[in-house]
Amino acid sequence: MSTQSLLERRFRVLGKHSPLFYDKPLQLVRGEGVWLYDAEGKRYLDAYNNVPHVGHCHPRVVDALCRQAHALNTHTRYLDDTVVTYAERLLSTFDKSLSNVFFCCTGTEANELALRIARECTGGQGIISTAHAYHGNSAAVAQISTLFTPPEKRGPFIRTIPVLDPYRERRGRDDETLSTAYAQDVQKAVDDFARNGVKFAGLLICTAFSSEGLPTVPRGYLAKVVKIVHDAGGVFIADEVQAGFGRFGSHMWGHQVLGATPDIVTMGKPMGNGHPLAGVVARADLVEQFTSQNMYFNTFGGNAVSAAVGLAVLDVLQEERLLENARIVGEYVIAGLRKLQTKHALIGDVRGAGLFFAVEIVRDRTTQEPAPAETKRIVNGMRERGVLISRIGIHDNILKIRPPMPFSTGNADLLLKTLDDLMTSL
Amino acid sequence: MSTQSLLERRFRVLGKHSPLFYDKPLQLVRGEGVWLYDAEGKRYLDAYNNVPHVGHCHPRVVDALCRQAHALNTHTRYLDDTVVTYAERLLSTFDKSLSNVFFCCTGTEANELALRIARECTGGQGIISTAHAYHGNSAAVAQISTLFTPPEKRGPFIRTIPVLDPYRERRGRDDETLSTAYAQDVQKAVDDFARNGVKFAGLLICTAFSSEGLPTVPRGYLAKVVKIVHDAGGVFIADEVQAGFGRFGSHMWGHQVLGATPDIVTMGKPMGNGHPLAGVVARADLVEQFTSQNMYFNTFGGNAVSAAVGLAVLDVLQEERLLENARIVGEYVIAGLRKLQTKHALIGDVRGAGLFFAVEIVRDRTTQEPAPAETKRIVNGMRERGVLISRIGIHDNILKIRPPMPFSTGNADLLLKTLDDLMTSL
C-alpha cells in the first residue's frame, strides 16, 4: 500500500481538510521512546509530540493499560479504588486549595467544563483569552480558540488580550515594568466588559502560551493578572494541556512556574501518554456550587483503564526522574540553539524551559521581521532529514520543539546537528 | 479497604455529587462477558451496561487494544492505514449518502460537532430536541439535554417536542394517524422558530428515545419528521449513542429501524467497548462545507489504538453474529416479560426490540398511573439479588434493561426469575 494511495483513500472517508502534518505527509507504523518509524522503515527523531509524554509506547504505561483492560473497564457510577487513588495522587501535585477533580477524555472537554463552572459560579458570561490561542474544538471552546475563530464568530462574551511578545516589545524595560504593562491589557478587557454590561466570568490562558509562541513571561506577570481577575469577581483558569506534567522541568505545572495559583486547572494531552484522558482540578467550593446545580457525568472519563494509565504515567515521571531530565537536557538544548544562533543569522531568538523550545526565524535581527516561508522550509526540511518539529506564533515563524520527556543529550545532539546542517544548506 | 471508607475517600476528591448507581453503591473489581464481580467476590449479571457492547473485557477487543498500544499510538495528523480502514468499514454500514466520518472521543464531542456542522451549514441556530433528552455534558449539548437543563437555562435557540408516549396516548389510533399527530409537534416547533425570527438549523434526537422511555415509535413517524425538517431547511441529526451498533438486532442503526436516512449521525458509548471512541458520520457536502471554513482536529479521536479497537468491535459483532443473538434472545426476553405481566399487576407495559427493553411500572393498569417509588425499589432490589438494571422515563417509572450483546437465553432466565421473585416479594 503506497502512501499516495492511502492518502487518496483517506481523502474519500475523512475529507480533504482533515489536518495532516508536512508538505509530504508521514505514514507511521511504529513508535518507541523518542523514535517513530515510517512504512518504509525510516526512523524519525520525535522532537515534536507531547502526547507520548513519557515516550512512545512506554512499556510500563502499556502494561498498566493492558492489565486493567483485561480485568475491568467501567465508569465512575460504580466505586473503584483505582480512580480514587489516581485522583488523590494527581491532586497531591497541586496547591492544597485545589482539592477536587473531574475526569474527562480530552482537553476540549476539560476546557468546556471549566467554562461551565466559571460561568455558573460567577453568574457571568465574559471570558478573556489571548488573541492567538487554541483551547479546543467545541462551540464554547472554539469561541476562545482565537487562532482559528475570527472575531465576528466569537459572540459577545469574549475579549482578548494581545499576545505577549517580549522579544519585540521589551525595549529595555525590566520585568516589573513590563509585567505591569502587560497586566494592564487584562484590566482593559475587564473594563470593556463592564462598559458593555457583560458580567465577567474569568480568564482562561495556556500557562505556556504555546500557540502564541512560547514567550518568556516577565516575572510577576501572572500574580498581577490573577489579582485583576479576582478583584473583578472572575476566576482564573489555567490551561495546563501544554505546560502540565512537568514539561518545563522545574515544576509539575506551568502556573507553578509562573508563580500564581489558579481557581480551576485543565489538563489533557500528556496525561494518559496517548490514551484519551483529561481532567479539571478545581477549588472544592466551586465544584460543590456547580455540581449541586448541574449533573456532570462523563461515561469514559476516569474509567478504570484511564485511571490505571494515568497512575502509570505519574509513576514513570517520578521513577525515571523525567522532570530532572527535562531540566538538564533542556539547558543543554538551549545552549546548543544559542550556539547555532551565533552561526545562522535567521535565528532571531532562542527561548524555552525544560523540554519546550521556541526558535524565532527572522529576515533580519535588527528589524526582527518574521520569516514564515523560511520557517516552513526548515520544518519540512527537518522532516526530510528525519527529525520531527513544527511551528507556532502569530507570524508562523517560530520553530516549535517539544520532544517526549525522555529526550537525551544524544537525541539533542542529533536535533542540533540536523538543524545546523539544514540551515547551512538553505 | 472497605466500601464505606472508599466512598469517603471518593467524596473528598471527586465531590459528593459525582453520580453513583444504587442506594448502596457497588464496588467492582472484575468483568467478563455479561458478568461483573464486586470486591467481596459476589457476581452480578449485567443487564444494564451498553458500553461493554460485545461483553466486558472481550479478549479479542482487549488484544487489539494491547497489540496496537505496544506498536504505535499517534493521531490523525500522520497517515495511518488502521484509521482509514476503520473509517471505510464503519461507513460501509450506512446509506451511501453518508460517506464521511470524523472520529472523536465521547458522545458529547460527537453531538457538539454535529451541532456545529448543522449550524454552520444551514446558517441557522434553532435546534429541536425532545422534552426529556440526554445528549451530553458540554455547554451547547447541555442546552438540548432537557432532562437536566430546565427551560430557562436552554437559551433562545432550543425548542422541544413532547416525549412520545403511545402506551398512554394511542387511544385506538392506527400508526398512520398517530405518526401524523406526533409529527405535527415537530411542525409546531419549526413554526415557533419562524414566528420568533430564529433561523432553523435542525432536529437532533436519540433514535431509541432512550431517556424518554423507549417508546414504541409508530411506523412512518420518522419519515414524516424528516420531511418537515428538510422542508424547513434544517438537517436531521440521528444520535445513535444508544441505538447504534446493532442494539435493536434487526439493523445496525436505529434510524434504519425507523426507516429514514439522517444527514448527520453521531455515535459513542458501544463503539470502542469501553475505550473512549466516538464519531460523526455525515454527508460529504456538509463535511466539505464545514471543514473548508473551520479547522477541526481531535488529538485522541481516531488515533491508531482507538481505530484498532473500533475495528475489533465490528469484527466481533459480525463473527459472533451478535445482531442475530440480539434478535433471538430479545424475543425470548420480551415473551418472558409479557408472561410476568400476566402475573404482576405492577407491570403496565412491556416493550423493546433486540436487547433493549422497557418495563412500565404502574399503580393501576387502567389509570396507567406511574409508580416511581416501586420502580426504584425494584432496581435496588435487583442489585441486592445480583442483577443490574436501571430506570428511565419522564415519570422515572420504567425499568431500563439493556445488557451487553452476548446476553444468552440462560442469562435471560436468570433476569426473568430474579425479577419474578422480587416482584412476588414486594
Side-chain angles (χ1 to χ4, degrees):
Chain A
M1 180 64 57
S2 82
T3 294
Q4 186 53 36
S5 83
L6 180 58
L7 192 60
E8 282 159 20
R9 286 171 56 210
R10 175 177 154 128
F11 285 155
R12 275 196 294 275
V13 290
L14 303 189
K16 293 213 168 180
H17 304 285
S18 179
L20 279 164
F21 276 135
Y22 307 114
D23 289 342
K24 206 174 131 194
L26 201 55
Q27 182 183 355
L28 298 176
V29 297
R30 192 162 77 79
E32 191 180 349
V34 297
W35 299 102
L36 285 163
Y37 300 82
D38 74 8
E40 276 87 48
K42 184 175 170 187
R43 190 172 82 154
Y44 295 83
L45 177 65
D46 187 354
Y48 171 74
N49 285 294
N50 64 333
V51 173
H53 192 56
V54 299
H56 287 278
C57 307
H58 193 292
R60 176 88 181 257
V61 177
V62 175
D63 285 353
L65 172 84
C66 297
R67 210 168 34 243
Q68 186 64 49
H70 274 290
L72 180 72
N73 186 12
T74 48
H75 46 69
T76 56
R77 285 179 191 250
Y78 303 111
L79 274 173
D80 190 299
D81 185 68
T82 313
V83 71
V84 174
T85 302
Y86 178 46
E88 290 168 346
R89 277 281 301 281
L90 184 66
L91 289 169
S92 73
T93 66
F94 288 93
D95 184 84
K96 277 201 176 63
S97 63
L98 296 161
S99 60
N100 273 192
V101 60
F102 296 89
F103 292 113
C104 43
C105 298
T106 68
T108 294
E109 288 199 328
N111 283 325
E112 260 289 334
L113 178 56
L115 291 177
R116 286 190 70 192
I117 296 171
R119 284 169 164 158
E120 175 83 23
C121 292
T122 62
Q125 284 295 318
I127 299 288
I128 299 171
S129 74
T130 80
H132 199 75
Y134 183 72
H135 298 288
N137 55 46
S138 66
V141 178
Q143 288 182 344
I144 57 167
S145 292
T146 52
L147 170 56
F148 295 111
T149 307
E152 67 275 14
K153 281 185 150 184
R154 291 177 202 158
F157 302 130
I158 309 301
R159 294 294 181 279
T160 61
I161 50 173
V163 167
L164 273 57
D165 189 0
Y167 167 56
R168 290 182 179 77
E169 298 164 347
R170 181 172 282 274
R171 301 184 205 103
R173 289 177 286 182
D174 64 12
D175 274 15
E176 175 57 26
T177 313
L178 190 61
S179 66
T180 302
Y182 279 147
Q184 277 310 304
D185 292 331
V186 175
Q187 186 63 56
K188 278 180 210 159
V190 164
D191 294 345
D192 193 58
F193 276 136
R195 245 192 324 276
N196 288 276
V198 174
K199 189 161 158 47
F200 178 49
L203 168 96
L204 192 159
I205 52 166
C206 163
T207 51
F209 294 108
S210 168
S211 301
E212 295 89 335
L214 199 73
T216 306
V217 179
R219 254 191 318 277
Y221 169 74
L222 196 59
K224 290 188 178 79
V225 164
V226 173
K227 186 173 184 318
I228 291 167
V229 168
H230 284 167
D231 286 351
V235 296
F236 165 41
I237 305 166
D239 180 333
E240 294 280 358
V241 168
Q242 295 291 330
F245 294 92
R247 171 58 53 185
F248 288 138
S250 61
H251 300 76
M252 188 71 168
W253 305 104
H255 63 265
Q256 294 167 342
V257 177
L258 298 179
T261 303
D263 304 293
I264 304 173
V265 180
T266 62
M267 60 203 75
K269 293 195 205 299
M271 194 170 183
N273 215 49
H275 186 78
L277 175 58
V280 175
V281 164
R283 282 168 27 206
D285 61 313
L286 297 178
V287 172
E288 170 61 28
Q289 189 181 342
F290 177 74
T291 55
S292 64
Q293 298 296 320
N294 300 273
M295 199 292 288
Y296 186 85
F297 174 66
N298 191 308
T299 301
F300 301 130
N303 69 27
V305 172
S306 299
V309 168
L311 264 173
V313 170
L314 293 181
D315 285 343
V316 173
L317 277 175
Q318 195 166 11
E319 286 164 25
E320 297 186 7
R321 299 169 174 274
L322 291 179
L323 273 71
E324 191 183 333
N325 184 68
R327 285 197 300 277
I328 294 167
V329 179
E331 282 173 21
Y332 184 85
V333 172
I334 289 282
L337 290 170
R338 295 245 156 89
K339 214 168 140 194
L340 294 189
Q341 190 181 14
T342 65
K343 193 171 162 188
H344 302 286
L346 274 172
I347 299 182
D349 192 33
V350 168
R351 55 185 184 258
L355 284 170
F356 202 162
F357 316 98
V359 180
E360 285 246 9
I361 306 299
V362 295
R363 292 247 158 71
D364 181 303
R365 286 193 190 167
T366 315
T367 65
Q368 300 176 324
E369 186 194 343
E374 290 81 351
T375 310
K376 191 180 179 198
R377 279 175 59 201
I378 293 170
V379 170
N380 281 291
M382 291 291 279
R383 172 242 186 272
E384 293 301 325
R385 289 161 189 251
V387 179
L388 304 182
I389 63 172
S390 186
R391 61 203 165 112
I392 43 175
I394 44 177
H395 310 294
D396 235 355
N397 74 313
I398 303 169
L399 300 180
K400 180 186 190 180
I401 304 173
R402 187 195 50 181
M405 294 284 277
F407 204 71
S408 68
T409 51
N411 302 144
D413 286 337
L414 179 58
L415 165 74
L416 293 162
K417 184 176 185 320
T418 309
L419 186 59
D420 188 13
D421 291 351
L422 174 67
M423 293 190 75
T424 304
S425 77
L426 279 182
Chain B
M1 179 63 57
S2 81
T3 295
Q4 185 54 37
S5 82
L6 179 58
L7 192 60
E8 283 159 21
R9 285 170 57 210
R10 175 175 155 130
F11 284 155
R12 276 198 293 277
V13 291
L14 302 190
K16 293 213 169 182
H17 303 286
S18 179
L20 279 164
F21 277 136
Y22 307 113
D23 290 342
K24 208 175 131 193
L26 201 54
Q27 182 183 354
L28 298 175
V29 298
R30 192 162 77 79
E32 191 179 347
V34 297
W35 299 102
L36 285 163
Y37 300 83
D38 75 8
E40 277 87 46
K42 185 175 169 187
R43 190 172 84 153
Y44 295 83
L45 176 65
D46 189 353
Y48 171 72
N49 285 295
N50 64 332
V51 172
H53 193 56
V54 299
H56 287 278
C57 307
H58 193 291
R60 176 88 182 258
V61 177
V62 175
D63 285 353
L65 172 85
C66 297
R67 211 169 32 244
Q68 186 63 49
H70 274 291
L72 181 72
N73 185 10
T74 49
H75 47 70
T76 56
R77 284 179 190 253
Y78 303 112
L79 274 174
D80 190 298
D81 184 68
T82 313
V83 70
V84 174
T85 301
Y86 178 45
E88 291 167 344
R89 277 281 301 280
L90 185 66
L91 289 168
S92 74
T93 66
F94 287 94
D95 183 85
K96 277 201 175 65
S97 63
L98 295 161
S99 60
N100 273 193
V101 60
F102 296 90
F103 292 114
C104 44
C105 298
T106 67
T108 294
E109 287 198 330
N111 283 324
E112 260 290 332
L113 178 55
L115 291 177
R116 286 190 71 193
I117 296 171
R119 284 167 164 159
E120 175 83 22
C121 293
T122 61
Q125 285 293 318
I127 298 287
I128 299 171
S129 75
T130 80
H132 199 74
Y134 183 71
H135 297 288
N137 56 46
S138 66
V141 178
Q143 288 181 342
I144 56 167
S145 292
T146 53
L147 169 56
F148 295 111
T149 307
E152 67 274 15
K153 280 186 151 180
R154 290 177 203 158
F157 302 129
I158 309 301
R159 294 294 181 278
T160 61
I161 51 172
V163 167
L164 273 57
D165 189 359
Y167 167 55
R168 291 182 178 77
E169 298 164 348
R170 181 171 283 273
R171 302 185 204 101
R173 288 177 285 182
D174 64 13
D175 275 14
E176 175 58 25
T177 313
L178 190 61
S179 66
T180 302
Y182 278 148
Q184 276 312 303
D185 292 330
V186 175
Q187 186 63 55
K188 279 180 210 160
V190 164
D191 294 345
D192 192 58
F193 276 135
R195 247 193 321 277
N196 288 277
V198 174
K199 189 162 159 50
F200 179 49
L203 168 96
L204 191 159
I205 52 165
C206 163
T207 50
F209 295 109
S210 167
S211 301
E212 295 89 335
L214 199 72
T216 306
V217 179
R219 253 191 318 277
Y221 169 74
L222 196 59
K224 291 188 176 79
V225 164
V226 173
K227 184 172 185 320
I228 292 168
V229 168
H230 285 167
D231 285 352
V235 296
F236 165 41
I237 305 167
D239 180 336
E240 294 280 357
V241 169
Q242 295 292 330
F245 294 94
R247 172 56 54 185
F248 288 138
S250 60
H251 300 76
M252 188 69 168
W253 305 104
H255 63 266
Q256 294 167 343
V257 177
L258 297 179
T261 303
D263 303 294
I264 304 174
V265 180
T266 63
M267 62 204 74
K269 292 194 205 299
M271 193 170 183
N273 215 49
H275 187 78
L277 175 57
V280 174
V281 164
R283 282 169 26 207
D285 61 314
L286 297 177
V287 173
E288 170 62 28
Q289 190 181 343
F290 177 74
T291 55
S292 64
Q293 298 297 319
N294 298 273
M295 199 291 288
Y296 186 85
F297 174 65
N298 191 309
T299 301
F300 301 131
N303 69 29
V305 172
S306 299
V309 168
L311 263 174
V313 170
L314 292 181
D315 285 342
V316 173
L317 276 174
Q318 195 166 10
E319 286 164 25
E320 298 186 6
R321 300 168 173 272
L322 290 179
L323 273 70
E324 190 183 334
N325 183 67
R327 283 197 302 276
I328 293 166
V329 179
E331 281 172 22
Y332 183 85
V333 172
I334 288 281
L337 290 170
R338 294 246 155 89
K339 214 167 139 195
L340 292 189
Q341 191 181 13
T342 64
K343 192 170 162 189
H344 301 288
L346 275 172
I347 300 182
D349 192 34
V350 168
R351 54 185 184 258
L355 283 169
F356 202 163
F357 316 98
V359 180
E360 285 247 9
I361 306 298
V362 295
R363 292 247 157 72
D364 181 303
R365 285 196 191 164
T366 314
T367 65
Q368 300 176 324
E369 187 195 343
E374 289 81 350
T375 310
K376 190 179 179 200
R377 278 175 61 201
I378 293 170
V379 169
N380 280 290
M382 291 290 280
R383 171 240 185 274
E384 292 301 324
R385 289 162 189 250
V387 179
L388 304 182
I389 62 171
S390 187
R391 61 204 165 110
I392 42 175
I394 44 176
H395 309 296
D396 235 357
N397 74 313
I398 302 168
L399 300 181
K400 179 185 191 180
I401 304 174
R402 188 195 49 183
M405 294 284 277
F407 205 71
S408 69
T409 51
N411 302 145
D413 287 337
L414 179 58
L415 164 73
L416 293 163
K417 183 176 184 322
T418 309
L419 186 59
D420 188 14
D421 290 350
L422 174 67
M423 294 191 75
T424 303
S425 77
L426 279 182

